[in-house]
Amino acid sequence: MNNFEKVSITNEARSELHDLIHLTGAEISVNTLPQGGSVPFVHAHKQNEEIYAILQGEGTAVIDGEKVSLKEGDWLRIAPAAKRQFFASAKKPLKYICIQVKENSLEGYTMTDAIV
């Protein structure tokens, strides 16, 4: 039995890694909004914070009514209760990773959790 799983992501609009590589501590998705497209709903969470990594393109997040510009290389953390929605710009698609984890659950960091 392997202690790892590997998958290649294609150019789908959304790939959910928790299903593809059987994640047990986080929900991670790779998402692409077409130019001018958006996530079709506003949402918040009960317990999970979200971390977004913008891989390509540009767009906007509306978080609790505040517009936040997004571009390649940006990282964004959103608290569970914040209401959010994402939009790609009219000029470029927006490709991003969303990492969802339970807020305040991190007990160890790379060096404190490592066994050397």
Side-chain angles (χ1 to χ4, degrees), residues 9-102:
I9 301 298
T10 60
N11 287 328
E12 296 180 34
R14 181 174 172 89
S15 297
E16 296 180 351
L17 296 179
H18 64 273
D19 290 335
L20 296 172
I21 57 176
H22 307 102
L23 298 175
T24 63
E27 181 175 343
I28 302 173
S29 61
V30 181
N31 305 271
T32 303
L33 295 174
Q35 65 186 57
S38 69
V39 172
F41 52 86
V42 175
H43 77 285
H45 290 278
K46 296 174 187 173
Q47 300 181 49
N48 294 342
E49 65 185 6
E50 290 182 322
I51 302 98
Y52 291 87
I54 308 305
L55 302 176
Q56 295 175 342
E58 56 188 38
T60 304
V62 178
I63 306 165
D64 289 337
E66 182 177 340
K67 290 185 179 181
V68 179
S69 295
L70 302 171
K71 65 180 181 354
E72 184 175 325
D74 286 347
W75 285 82
L76 176 66
R77 179 212 170 257
I78 304 177
K83 293 179 180 162
R84 69 213 68 179
Q85 187 175 18
F86 287 78
F87 301 85
S89 77
K91 298 177 184 178
K92 296 181 180 181
L94 182 65
K95 185 171 186 175
Y96 60 93
I97 295 173
C98 177
I99 305 166
Q100 192 177 132
V101 295
K102 185 175 180 181

Side-chain angles (χ1 to χ4, degrees), residues 99-110:
I99 305 166
Q100 192 177 132
V101 295
K102 185 175 180 181
E103 187 177 43
N104 298 314
S105 64
L106 185 61
E107 295 178 359
Y109 297 84
T110 303

